[in-house]
Amino acid sequence: MYLETPRTAVRPFAPDDLDALQEILGDAETMRFSQPPNTRAQTETFLREFCIQKQGGLAVTRRADGKLIGYLLLREDSPAVYEMGWFFNRAVWRQGYALESCRAVAEYVFRQLHTRRIFAETADPARSASLMRRLGMRREGVLRRHVLLPDGSPAALHLYGIWQAEWQADALPPR
């Protein structure tokens, strides 16, 4: 898959993405609601085995300079149901890159793959949940004290989703 938006390109990962991906996955603040920050060796294994071999992730690059600024998970969870997830470089937070690239991927999944549903989950009730809502997703539930944060504290897992019929009814805002 290769998609372009006005400011981003979404493409498969390549081996030379290691340094930029480590900038993202190795950052404690970026990973605060997920897992401990990756070591370089962990990121190298993740890039090679999951992102490239299994095609389990998509690279988001800034078109202006080609810099990799985000990791986007897109996986078929069950027939015609896709999970989305993301980590973006903290240097580009609150600049609209995540919304722009995630919206393009959601459009692709609904239009080209004819999926019936996209869902996402987060332990971050503010930033990630806000992005999910801006993508047109609705809150579908909360699993209380379901995950452990990197600091060992329990946190709720917030579940969001959008159905194809909702997306077709303009629940997903246009670009």
Side-chain angles (χ1 to χ4, degrees):
M1 170 192 316
Y2 182 85
L3 302 171
E4 284 190 352
T5 72
R7 299 182 305 149
T8 69
V10 180
R11 60 162 174 80
F13 273 97
D16 60 353
D17 291 326
L18 177 59
D19 291 337
L21 186 59
Q22 176 59 26
E23 259 185 70
I24 298 166
L25 301 181
D27 180 65
E29 180 61 20
T30 299
M31 304 305 288
R32 185 173 78 164
F33 291 101
S34 179
Q35 64 187 42
N38 280 11
T39 64
R40 185 174 178 83
Q42 289 171 319
T43 299
E44 185 174 16
T45 299
F46 177 72
L47 174 64
R48 182 182 63 253
E49 294 178 4
F50 185 76
C51 297
I52 296 173
Q53 291 173 1
K54 292 184 180 179
Q55 298 178 340
L58 297 166
V60 179
T61 60
R62 192 169 40 209
R63 287 182 60 192
D65 59 9
K67 179 171 174 53
L68 183 131
I69 57 170
Y71 159 81
L72 213 156
L73 169 72
L74 180 66
R75 73 173 190 89
E76 191 170 23
D77 182 67
S78 59
V81 175
Y82 282 81
E83 177 182 12
M84 281 182 78
W86 47 81
F87 291 109
F88 278 78
N89 189 309
R90 192 162 28 128
V92 301
W93 285 3
R94 305 192 67 74
Q95 296 177 36
Y97 289 107
L99 178 62
E100 190 173 313
S101 55
C102 289
R103 183 177 286 148
V105 170
E107 287 179 18
Y108 175 84
V109 169
F110 281 123
R111 290 180 197 242
Q112 303 300 317
L113 302 181
H114 307 288
T115 191
R116 59 186 171 88
R117 181 172 184 268
I118 298 172
F119 74 94
E121 55 189 35
T122 185
D124 177 0
R127 291 183 305 237
S128 285
S130 173
L131 176 57
M132 292 170 191
R133 288 188 299 272
R134 290 184 6 233
L135 288 167
M137 294 182 182
R138 295 182 186 176
R139 186 170 156 203
E140 296 181 341
V142 176
L143 302 174
R144 299 178 307 133
R145 301 173 61 90
H146 187 75
V147 295
L148 289 178
L149 298 178
D151 67 6
S153 63
L157 188 65
H158 302 265
L159 308 171
Y160 283 78
I162 184 169
W163 293 91
Q164 182 182 40
E166 295 169 330
W167 176 77
Q168 288 175 334
D170 294 326
L172 187 63
R175 276 198 253 167

